[in-house]
Amino acid sequence: MSEPADFVTRLRAERQDPGREEALRLDKARRRRKAVLAGCAGALVLTGFGVWLTSVTGHRPANEPYAPQTLQEDLWPDEWPATVRLPFRGSPAAAWQDGASGIVTPRAEATGDHTVTEVAAALRHSREFLLESNVTPEQLGGDRPSAAMDLLDPRDPGTAALEDALRHPDEEHSPLDVFTRFDPDEESVVTDAVKSRGTMTYEVAPSGELLVHADYTFVYAVAKNHGGWEIVPGAPEAARVIVRRQVTLTPSHGRLALRGSERRVVNADCRAPEDGYVHPLYHAAAAKAPKGASLDPFTKPKPIEDIPAGCVTATRT
């Protein structure tokens, strides 16, 4: 070890060295170059990641994990599958009203031989029927839609036909013409994940009947009960199903009677046997499903009869 006196002498000599300033300048230059190189390397990594993100949107295999840990789910591209955490991410339905809030009755006015009170009661009961047919958790979960059936006149032939369809569904007699139901052994509707939008009108038929026409689109987010794809740990995939429904009802003995019903279902397996349930198409299955006529279910509604009744391919859900 150097003696203190020797150490002081050496420091004085270095301070008086004519090359000392140049050595310090070169050392600073080396440090700057290292910082710049490190920054460029980081930028290249980020640039490559950005290019990779761009390349994956909509062009990777259906079971690709999409590097979900790299960014928040609300920033994922719309093409990526949704999860139960944000079931309507990327869907126009995200801006729609929730379930019951989207079903609004028009103002009741006396029409024909029907008083304001009669018209108001028919509109109120029709709204209740729509809710019990398409929104309430029990019937969505596959239970018998008892509350909806209780709103129908048991003496009307249409009520008996609907009861038979619920008991013995087939291609010609499907409860899905009136009710939205999912198989409780397969999937469940994500909590509070029902969106709705549409119109309700009324008129007097030539026969004198008061007819209430409901034309609504419902969007459901569902998840598999078992074996669903966990896109993010603890967050299974959510599939969206769109149901366009038209129902015509008339007052009958203090209740309602069905006078007509039509439905179109988008992003469901059109090859599934008629068992009284809607069978959603999840991301991987949708990619392999038969391609039908392209349909955007969120464009301005067209007459339901102009929408193909068979397999269609949704351009977005």
Side-chain angles (χ1 to χ4, degrees), residues 86-144:
L86 293 173
F88 292 108
R89 178 188 55 75
S91 171
W96 291 15
Q97 294 291 326
D98 293 330
S101 300
I103 303 176
V104 180
T105 59
R107 179 181 177 181
E109 295 181 355
T111 181
D113 294 331
H114 303 277
T115 67
V116 172
T117 301
E118 291 172 336
V119 173
L123 293 173
R124 183 175 66 255
H125 292 156
S126 296
R127 181 178 185 273
E128 291 174 9
F129 185 79
L130 284 173
L131 291 176
E132 298 296 343
S133 304
N134 299 281
V135 176
T136 55
E138 292 77 17
Q139 59 83 26
L140 288 178
D143 288 351
R144 181 183 181 279

Side-chain angles (χ1 to χ4, degrees), residues 19-309:
R20 180 173 179 273
E21 293 297 329
E22 180 63 15
L24 290 174
R25 187 187 67 78
L26 292 174
D27 182 64
K28 290 180 180 179
R30 280 194 298 271
R31 291 175 184 272
R32 282 197 297 268
R33 281 198 298 272
K34 287 182 180 180
V36 170
L37 288 173
C40 289
L44 286 173
V45 170
L46 290 175
T47 300
F49 177 67
V51 171
W52 178 82
L53 275 180
T54 301
S55 70
V56 301
T57 54
H59 301 290
R60 296 183 75 84
N63 62 348
E64 177 67 40
Y66 298 109
Q69 309 296 342
T70 58
L71 68 169
Q72 297 178 27
E73 187 172 345
D74 57 354
L75 299 178
W76 291 5
D78 292 348
E79 294 81 1
W80 290 11
T83 77
V84 297
R85 299 192 307 195
L86 293 173
F88 292 108
R89 178 188 55 75
S91 171
W96 291 15
Q97 294 291 326
D98 293 330
S101 300
I103 303 176
V104 180
T105 59
R107 179 181 177 181
E109 295 181 355
T111 181
D113 294 331
H114 303 277
T115 67
V116 172
T117 301
E118 291 172 336
V119 173
L123 293 173
R124 183 175 66 255
H125 292 156
S126 296
R127 181 178 185 273
E128 291 174 9
F129 185 79
L130 284 173
L131 291 176
E132 298 296 343
S133 304
N134 299 281
V135 176
T136 55
E138 292 77 17
Q139 59 83 26
L140 288 178
D143 288 351
R144 181 183 181 279
S146 299
M149 293 300 296
D150 288 345
L151 289 166
L152 297 178
D153 182 1
R155 290 167 287 190
D156 187 80
T159 304
L162 192 52
E163 284 280 14
D164 288 342
L166 283 166
R167 293 193 186 98
H168 308 290
D170 58 38
E171 295 294 337
E172 298 299 323
H173 308 90
S174 173
L176 298 180
D177 288 340
V178 178
F179 304 114
T180 305
R181 305 165 76 228
F182 297 95
D183 189 339
D185 293 332
E186 295 182 5
E187 50 252 324
S188 302
V189 176
V190 179
T191 304
D192 299 326
V194 179
K195 298 288 186 176
S196 61
R197 174 177 288 184
T199 59
M200 187 183 296
T201 59
Y202 59 92
E203 65 174 345
V204 176
S207 62
E209 281 187 319
L210 175 65
L211 299 178
V212 178
H213 303 289
D215 186 348
Y216 279 85
T217 298
F218 299 92
V219 185
Y220 305 91
V222 296
K224 288 186 177 182
N225 292 335
H226 310 285
W229 172 28
E230 286 198 353
I231 302 176
V232 176
E237 177 190 1
R240 292 189 290 262
V241 176
I242 300 97
V243 178
R244 169 86 177 276
R245 190 175 298 290
Q246 287 183 345
V247 178
T248 298
L249 300 158
T250 188
S252 178
H253 299 97
R255 300 192 186 185
L256 297 170
L258 274 171
R259 288 294 179 262
S261 63
E262 287 279 351
R263 45 103 177 185
R264 296 292 186 269
V265 182
V266 177
N267 201 40
D269 189 353
C270 60
R271 300 166 299 172
E274 181 56 71
D275 58 0
Y277 300 116
V278 176
H279 296 280
L281 284 177
Y282 294 86
H283 190 72
K288 301 174 183 177
K291 303 304 179 186
S294 295
L295 175 68
D296 184 347
F298 297 102
T299 56
K300 184 178 180 179
K302 60 174 67 176
I304 198 167
E305 58 269 18
D306 292 343
I307 302 173

